[in-house]
Structure formats: structure tokens, C-alpha cells
Amino acid sequence: MLTERPITPSTLGVRDLNWQIEWDKDLCTQCGRCTSVCPVNAIELGVHRKREIKTPAGLMKKAENEYSIFYGIRQKTDPAYACIGCSMCNMVCPNNAIGPKREEGSTTQKFHNDRGGNPRTRGGRRNSGESLLDQIKFMRISMLTDPALDAGRHEFRLNTLLGRVQSPEESLKTYQEQGWKPPVREIYPLVIGGMSFGAMSPNMWEGLQMGVAYLNEELNMPVRISTGEGGCPPRLLRSRFLKYVILQIASGYFGWDEIIHAIPEMKVDPCAIEIKYGQGAKPGDGGLLMWYKVNKLIAAIRGVPEGVSLPSPPTHQTQYSIEESVAKMIQSMSMAWGFRVPVYPKISASSTSLAVLNNLTRNPYAAGLAIDGEDGGTGAAYNVSMNHMGHPIASNLRDCYNALVVTGKQNELPLIAGGGIGKSGNLAANAAALIMLGASAVQVGKYVMQAGAGCLGSEKDRCNVCNIGVCPKGITSQDPRLYRRLDPEKVAERVVDFYLSFDTEIKKIIAPLGRSTSLPIGMADALGISDRAAADRLGIKYVV
Amino acid sequence: MCRLFALTSRDPISPMLAINALNTMKEGHDGSGVGLCLRGLGGRFEEELQGCPILSGIFTEAGLRRLEQYTMDHGFKSQYSILYTPETEPPEGTPVRGTYAAIAYKVPRGWKELTAAQQGQKLVEMRLELRKMGEEDGDIMVFSFWPDTIIVKEVGDPLEIGEWLQLGANRNLYARHILAQGRQNTNYAINLYACHPFFIEGVASMTNGENTAFIPIMEYMQSRNVTGYSGYQSDSEVFTHIAHYTTKRLGLDIRAYKHVITPLMDHEMADHPDREFLATLKRSCRKMIIDGPNCIIGTLDDGSMFMVQDRKKLRPGIVGGKDGIYAFSSEVCGIDAVIPDRDKSKDFQPMHLDTVIVGPDCKEIETCSQKDQLPRQL
């Protein structure tokens, strides 16, 4: 720092930053690992010159200046390089001499995040810790007339259906007439949501796919993973593992050339096709893959030039309206696979979710509806979108389920809910709550990154740099120097671990409720909450 | 937990037999209520009043007058009625309600031209309308309105109620198919309509245990657009409606009922001769899967009687008897009390895959496993 540095309106001191580096001079061996690992270059090696005035006793001798030099860590105060609290410096430090500390009192940095007139874009999820799902309790515990089941001993059937299920009358008619039956997949109710090849590093993607394959083939859990927009590696498209994959098509159509061209060579059908109309964290906004991440591989798979930002438009440009989309896209995608693959749209939870749902119920080819709530994760979005836009998932899902109940189609059109599940780590409880509110399945993305690959992001604005390709763990980076940090085998192992834990925990929830032979979809009488307004809105019990 | 007892006999028998059987199982129910469903009636109902709809319920004097007006307005003329207004003090816990009635009606002109389905629909509509009429001041409580069917429900100990209502005294109340339940009111407030058995369009059933999937199934049944799928004072009422839906709406044999409420696991289905049909049924009827623990006993329009268990078979249930009379009971002591001279080695306790059926001829116990091939019409 210069002694005569200019103090301008956007000059910040270290104390103004959200995260501050605490560095211990005595413990530091100056190995330099921390500065080399810092993803945002918030710290640099500094040469510190120290002047001390030595004043001898007595009056005869004059005071003297003593100069010394030492090497140490310097934290930058430029907001562009502000520490993100990822703690990678601490992870690599041999002596625990350095680490970030959150400065709770300072709010100054957020006023300077938008320098150059560009509002902040970031990855991650809504920066708030609270979650309504965490407040929901399961309280219909069986005690007397119906003894609680033993989660460890009874047989359990947790699988759910993805695809249009005909009503009993219709299905018997189809059976008798040997007519066309809409494709239905039996899947595990926890789906890995769309995180695209492009947003994710190749190692992360490989790890996830390996984990999913292991769960299916070794543990007999029909877990499915959505690709997200951005295509799918050609080798996977032509492999037998494709049946575990839900291919996503979004408004940018990235990677669809590759997929369409692979159809004749596909050994198996994909699990389903998901048409993404919106995502919870940036409702009404398109996807944004920033140029940092568009390397040669990604460019090739997506069919675009290297090193250019890839914004997908917020809507499918070839479609005029959702009605038309539902009719046309669902039909043409179904047709591409000979009506053997379920096709369903994914939308942001919004005030128009019901309108979309109403459209779908009248379309015999629609295989379900995925709804993504405001807490849904994303690779990159504007800060304002993530923090202030969107609709919470619980009430939106409930409205949709109730709309199906009114028309008697609650078994026929599965709802897949996402957005904020496991936000505080309570994956099974959140998922069970949503299932009991009416979801046939739930999808998670961020949780998979956090638990499966050690993503450092938190709901307190920690890390959140997934968008610029500097992910310190190598999860969302396309830079080989970074993604080499991530061992795909370990990711697969962790994915399997948390799926097994989820399986145990969800059994521990539904067994005491007396359920085991089918997923308790819509079993809202089991839920209670101590918030009167929420209880009324969701149609669950108010308990204090 | 409630105790269930059902009798199916070639000749009409006294309902008190069933109530006495319940009494032998008294330790298993707290006597907070009793429900009786009598079908295959004997006496005058059989001799003179075949096919006449019978209204059964409890009425105050005002209620009876309103009922008379209502049935007259609809062109129904009362032909024969069993009206009983107890003069003595009711047993402890039973309120004074008025007249217990079973009234057989002559149907209006033009009724015969209606199809059976249309007649059924009208009877259900009238029953619901009457029930609604009585809901405000409790002067009319209607349990059934259907030919050859009488339902009695009351709060209190089964034996005391049976004696107080003198159910064994009137030979016109003798029936071939009797469902009786001694109640244990553990979960909800005591409500007369919540008392088993439940009845809809010739299908009656009763259940013990609790239905943990009640809300989703209730919502599903209500959304089927079937008149009569309403009420739901008890979480087990849906079992009757599922049986009705399976047999009447889907036109399936009662053997398919078990496949609807407790479908086979996929691996069990893999080598089943009807696997494609069963997979179709399992998928589309997924909302009607129960988790139990329940034992369900029911009777159908044709006079057959059945018993099924939930998937885990957490409730006891046993069927036994001899040519001409068979009993379905929660406990073996119930059967012992009524048919002590049967061949006990032929008693059958259905396990988690079994459906037990005794046909209207009361000749034998027919058991079928879910792993068996279903009848051809399916």
C-alpha cells in the first residue's frame, strides 16, 4: 500500500471486505502454496519493509532508523480480487498459518461489486440460509393402531414413476386393445438435476456418471441424472449407460446436433428427455456459459466457436408460446425416439406454473412436469436474479399437486420438484417433505456438488465463482490445471455414499409414518409446521 | 384395534350369532361401537320384498316425518318397515337417538325401465341427500339404501347394543351374509358414520387397523367422479370404495382387489403368467396401494365373502367353517364360538399374498394367491 494512495469513492480497506485473510507470520514458512492456489488472486506474496526508530536512553545519542525486510502475505483490497472465503489457502498450508475469516460487520463490499457498470454475476445459489422445508416436521407417527414399521427390517419400495401414467380405466382399455402405452420409467425418487457438460468439469461429469452407473448396476437403485443443456459426450450417447441419463434440451439447443446425429447409433434409449424452459435461480432468464469455460472440448460438443460466451435465450426461439411448445416440442422429441422415451418440460416455479400444468394434463404425450423453485442452483446468473427472483418451491408444488387432485390426474402426471432441497444439509427430510406435498420425485444439483465433490459454496456468499471457471475444487472449471484436482473415482464414491445415506434416512422418515410399500406422495396429513400462514397455505397441520 | 367377525351361511341366521362371536374377542376391542351389515335377508324381505330398496338408519320423530315426505316426493312408497324405538334406558355410553329403522320401499312407476346402473345411481344420490338433510340437526342418519341390505350402527358395547335393540328377536332380520365389527375408537372422535362396515352399491367391507395412506387415497377416490365416494369419516372407508371401484368401475374380479391394494413386487411379478396385466394394473392403480396394517373382510353383490391382508400381514385373520356356514374372524375364538363343530384342520389364515373367498353357495373356502393366474376374463 502506498502511503500517498488516493482515497476514491470505491477505495476499500481490508476491513471492508466480506472475507479477510488471517495470516500468522510466525507459523508461515513462506512456501507460497496459498498464493498459488487462490482462485481469485486475493492474496499475493508481499515484501514488507519495516522501519523502526530506535531511541537510545540518554540524551547523547540520536535516535536511529532501523530498516528490516520480511516476506509475507498481502491481501488485495480491490473488490475485483476480493477473497471469496473458499479456504483453499488453508487447505494447502502446511502449518495452518493462513485462513479466511468472515467479517460479519462489513457490508461495504457489496456496494462495489458492480464496477464498470456490470452487475455482478455469480454461480451458486440464493445467499440466504433459511429454508421453509427445514421447518416442516413429520408428525403422524404411528404408535398404537398401526405400529410403526421397522426401517431396517421391512421391505421398502421407494421407486417412483417418470412418465405419463394412464388412468386405471384407460390403461385397461389400452391393455385390452393392445394400444400405444405411454413410456414409463421406474426411477429412484432422488434425481441428479441438470448440470451441463460445459458447466461441469470433465472429471466431475465422469465421476457423476460413474457413481450413477454403480448405483444402478451394483446396488440396484435406479438413479437417474439429467445432463443439463450442453450436450452429452459422444461416447456416452453410444453406450449402454445412456439409459441412466435424462437428456436435456434447452433454449440454446447446445449439443443437440450431436445427440440427434447419435440416435441411429444409440444402443439404448435415454431415460427421458427434459425440455428446459426455465430454472429456479434465474426465472425468465437464459443460461449463461461464460467464455472462460468454453474450451476446445466444450466448443466441439456444443458446436460453437471456442472462447465465446454462450448465453441461451430465455425462451425457445422457435416456439411462439408454451402451448405451442408443449404441443410441438414434446411431440417431436417423442417422435425422434419412436414414442418410446418420456418427454417432459422443466419450468421455473412461477405464478404461471399452473397454466403450464393445465396444458400438460391435456397432452397425452407429456410425461411429467419438473418445477424448479427459487433456491435452485445455477452455473451463472445475475446476483439480483438469484437473490430476489423466483417462487418458492413448496407452495408452487402444492398448488400444482392440488390442481391435479381436482382433475383426478394425480397419479398420471408426475411432478418433479427441485430448488433448495438439502440446502442446509437435510436432504432426506427436505425431499420427504416435498414428496408428501405432492412431488413424485425431487431433483438436486447443488447438494450433489457439495456432498459429492466438496464444493465450497455456501448460502453465505462463500466461493460462488463457478461461473468464471476458477472453481478451486475443479468441479466447474474447464481448466485442466484445476480439474486435475478432482478425482472422478472419489466423486463416484461420494455420490454412492450419499445416495445410500439418503436411502436409509428416507426410510427412517417414512417407516414411522407407517409407509413402506409405496412412496407417500401427497401424504400431507403427516406434515406439520409451526408457522400458521405456511400451514394454511400448504394445507398441512399447524403445530406449535 | 377393532375386532371383525363375518358369517356367510346358506340359510338365514340371527345377527346375534355374530355379535356373540365379537363378545368372545372382547379383549381386542374397547366396545366403543358396533356395526352390522346384513345381506341375503330372510323372512319377509326375501319372501315378499325381493328387489325393493331398503333404507336403514336412525331417525327422530321429526326425522321420520321428513323422511316420509321426502320418499313420497320421489314416488317411493313404504311397503314394510321394521321400526324399533327402545323404551328402556340405553346401555352406558349410548345416547338416546330415537327410532332404529329398516324400511322397504316400492319403487315408483317407470323405475323398472331404468338400467341397473341408473337405478343404483339414483339410490346412492337419494341416500346422500337424506344424509345431508340429517346432518344439520341429526334427525336423520342413513347408513344404506339398497335392496337386500340392512345396516345397523351404534355407539357402545356390541353385546349390550344387540340385546338392547333385540336384534335376535325379529326373524325378519335374519341374514345369510353378516358383517359385524366391534370397535375400538383410538384415533378420532366417536362418530356413528365412522363405524364399520361401510357400504356402497352392493359392496360392503370392514377393516381393522389404520390406513396410513388415507389422505392420498381419499383424494384419489374423490377425484374419480363417482357419486358416493364421499363422507370419509373413517380412514378405512376407502377400502370399500376401492373394492367397489375394482369390481364395478373396472369390471374386475374380486381376485384383482389384492393386486390393486397390495401389488406384487417386480421380481415376484417377473414370472407371473399375467405379468403384463399386473404391471399395467400396478402402475395405473398406484394411488390405491395401502400400507396397512389391515385385515379387510367384505361381501359383494352376489353374496360372496372375502378376506385379504395388507402386504406385511400385520393383522390376524382366520377363515373356517363347514358346508353351509363359514365364518371370517379376527381371532379363532370367534369362529369357535359360532361353529365349534367344524373341521379345524381346514381353517385357513390368509397370508400376505392370499385372498380367501367363500362363494354364495357356502360350500368351501376358496383361496387364491397373488402368484396364481387370474381368471380368464381379466
Side-chain angles (χ1 to χ4, degrees), chain A residues 140 142 144-147 149 154-157 159-161 165-169 171-172 175-176 178 181-186 398 401-402 404-412 414 440 513-525, chain B residues 1 184 186-188 208-216 219-224 235 245 249-250 252 261-266 268 274 276-278 280-293 311-312 314-315 352 377-378:
Chain A
R140 191 194 184 286
S142 302
L144 190 63
T145 310
D146 45 341
L149 302 172
H154 279 111
E155 61 179 14
F156 279 85
R157 274 178 276 182
N159 291 352
T160 190
L161 299 180
V165 180
Q166 289 181 315
S167 71
E169 287 95 341
S171 70
L172 289 182
Y175 172 76
Q176 274 154 3
Q178 294 294 306
K181 227 176 7 185
V184 175
R185 310 276 196 245
E186 196 169 324
R398 191 77 184 130
Y401 181 75
N402 285 338
L404 289 178
V405 167
V406 168
T407 51
K409 291 189 186 295
Q410 65 269 48
N411 182 40
E412 300 175 23
S440 286
L513 309 181
R515 299 299 293 270
S516 70
T517 52
S518 74
L519 207 60
I521 300 166
M523 189 181 166
D525 55 327
Chain B
M1 183 181 72
Q184 185 178 48
T186 38
N187 290 31
Y188 305 103
N208 55 19
E210 191 179 349
N211 174 15
T212 47
F214 171 58
I215 292 287
E219 286 174 345
Y220 190 70
M221 298 319 290
Q222 280 178 330
S223 65
R224 295 300 90 195
D235 57 11
Y245 188 72
R249 287 280 148 166
L250 301 182
L252 300 175
I261 55 173
T262 62
L264 290 174
M265 308 263 282
D266 288 348
E268 293 169 326
D274 297 311
E276 202 193 333
F277 172 75
L278 293 181
T280 305
L281 202 64
K282 181 178 175 181
R283 236 165 228 182
S284 60
C285 296
R286 191 170 48 136
K287 275 283 171 186
M288 289 179 269
I289 295 177
I290 67 162
D291 256 302
R311 169 85 195 171
K312 292 171 215 84
L314 287 173
R315 283 284 176 264
H352 71 291
Q377 73 265 23
L378 300 178

Side-chain angles (χ1 to χ4, degrees), chain B residues 157-177:
Chain B
D157 180 75
L159 190 61
E160 287 176 16
I161 295 286
E163 284 168 353
W164 180 61
L165 292 178
Q166 300 180 10
L167 289 176
N170 191 338
R171 290 191 75 86
N172 291 317
L173 278 179
Y174 279 29
R176 291 179 176 84
H177 317 295

Side-chain angles (χ1 to χ4, degrees), chain B residues 287-342:
Chain B
K287 275 283 171 186
M288 289 179 269
I289 295 177
I290 67 162
D291 256 302
N294 301 109
C295 171
I296 304 167
I297 300 174
T299 179
L300 303 172
D301 237 354
D302 65 355
S304 54
M305 199 171 263
F306 64 91
M307 177 192 276
V308 291
Q309 296 277 352
D310 68 277
R311 169 85 195 171
K312 292 171 215 84
K313 215 260 173 204
L314 287 173
R315 283 284 176 264
I318 181 163
V319 183
K322 58 185 182 183
D323 185 22
I325 183 163
Y326 282 92
F328 293 61
S329 178
S330 295
E331 294 175 23
V332 72
C333 62
I335 309 182
D336 288 345
V338 180
I339 319 170
D341 55 341
R342 69 189 189 283

Side-chain angles (χ1 to χ4, degrees), chain A residues 273-329:
Chain A
I273 307 297
E274 181 176 83
I275 305 166
K276 192 201 84 181
Y277 289 103
Q279 48 189 329
K282 41 183 166 184
D285 209 348
L288 177 63
L289 190 70
M290 296 171 88
W291 66 267
Y292 314 93
K293 292 163 88 168
V294 187
N295 65 5
K296 199 173 171 184
L297 176 67
I298 300 308
I301 283 182
R302 292 196 165 195
V304 293
E306 258 179 84
V308 293
S309 285
L310 298 179
S312 347
T315 56
H316 285 255
Q317 298 295 290
T318 48
Q319 313 289 327
Y320 173 68
S321 64
I322 187 71
E323 290 89 343
E324 192 186 346
S325 285
V326 165
K328 276 191 189 165
M329 283 195 81

Side-chain angles (χ1 to χ4, degrees), chain A residues 87-403:
Chain A
S87 196
M88 284 303 283
C89 50
N90 183 265
M91 283 183 227
V92 297
C93 179
N95 302 319
N96 201 22
I98 189 168
K101 188 163 183 282
R102 191 174 186 88
E103 177 60 52
E104 298 289 347
S106 177
T107 56
T108 317
Q109 189 191 318
K110 66 169 73 160
F111 300 109
H112 297 275
N113 277 334
D114 50 0
R115 291 199 316 176
N118 294 319
R120 182 182 175 211
T121 54
R122 64 173 174 89
R125 192 159 50 188
R126 172 167 299 219
N127 284 331
S128 66
E130 79 274 7
S131 162
L132 180 96
L133 295 177
D134 281 340
Q135 295 173 41
I136 294 179
K137 291 179 174 63
F138 308 100
M139 28 162 282
R140 191 194 184 286
I141 310 299
S142 302
M143 282 286 159
L144 190 63
T145 310
D146 45 341
L149 302 172
D150 186 335
R153 193 163 55 91
H154 279 111
E155 61 179 14
F156 279 85
R157 274 178 276 182
L158 296 178
N159 291 352
T160 190
L161 299 180
L162 174 62
R164 186 56 166 257
V165 180
Q166 289 181 315
S167 71
E169 287 95 341
E170 268 177 322
S171 70
L172 289 182
K173 189 164 172 274
T174 309
Y175 172 76
Q176 274 154 3
E177 294 170 359
Q178 294 294 306
W180 173 75
K181 227 176 7 185
V184 175
R185 310 276 196 245
E186 196 169 324
I187 64 167
Y188 196 75
L190 181 69
V191 176
I192 300 181
M195 295 180 285
S196 72
F197 192 85
M200 291 287 162
S201 69
N203 282 14
M204 180 65 185
W205 237 69
E206 195 185 345
L208 289 177
Q209 298 292 347
M210 279 198 291
V212 168
Y214 187 89
L215 285 162
N216 275 280
E217 304 201 342
E218 298 295 325
L219 302 175
N220 205 20
M221 285 169 76
V223 173
R224 297 293 180 263
I225 178 170
S226 167
T227 58
E229 176 177 34
C232 193
R235 212 150 57 101
L236 180 58
L237 287 171
R238 290 165 177 81
S239 77
R240 68 188 169 86
F241 301 110
L242 187 64
K243 59 178 182 253
Y244 310 136
V245 174
I246 297 168
L247 294 174
Q248 193 187 81
I249 176 170
S251 49
Y253 297 89
F254 293 123
W256 265 81
D257 257 14
E258 192 76 47
I259 293 172
I260 301 293
H261 288 141
I263 289 180
E265 292 156 38
M266 282 181 187
K267 290 191 186 69
V268 290
D269 287 330
C271 169
I273 307 297
E274 181 176 83
I275 305 166
K276 192 201 84 181
Y277 289 103
Q279 48 189 329
K282 41 183 166 184
D285 209 348
L288 177 63
L289 190 70
M290 296 171 88
W291 66 267
Y292 314 93
K293 292 163 88 168
V294 187
N295 65 5
K296 199 173 171 184
L297 176 67
I298 300 308
I301 283 182
R302 292 196 165 195
V304 293
E306 258 179 84
V308 293
S309 285
L310 298 179
S312 347
T315 56
H316 285 255
Q317 298 295 290
T318 48
Q319 313 289 327
Y320 173 68
S321 64
I322 187 71
E323 290 89 343
E324 192 186 346
S325 285
V326 165
K328 276 191 189 165
M329 283 195 81
I330 293 182
Q331 183 142 9
S332 51
M333 286 302 138
S334 300
M335 209 141 53
W337 275 273
F339 294 92
R340 298 185 312 270
V341 176
V343 182
Y344 66 90
K346 174 184 167 188
I347 56 165
S348 317
S350 71
S351 48
T352 53
S353 298
L354 276 177
V356 179
L357 182 73
N358 289 337
N359 270 294
L360 294 175
T361 54
R362 285 190 293 277
N363 185 334
Y365 303 114
L369 176 65
I371 310 170
D372 200 7
E374 59 177 359
D375 270 327
T378 180
Y382 289 97
N383 201 44
V384 68
S385 296
M386 275 207 236
N387 277 352
H388 302 284
M389 293 181 71
H391 197 303
I393 184 63
S395 57
N396 205 260
L397 168 79
R398 191 77 184 130
D399 291 349
C400 288
Y401 181 75
N402 285 338

Side-chain angles (χ1 to χ4, degrees), chain A residues 10-22:
Chain A
S10 57
T11 302
L12 302 182
V14 171
R15 290 287 155 209
D16 293 316
L17 302 176
N18 288 342
W19 296 92
Q20 283 153 29
I21 298 295
E22 287 196 335

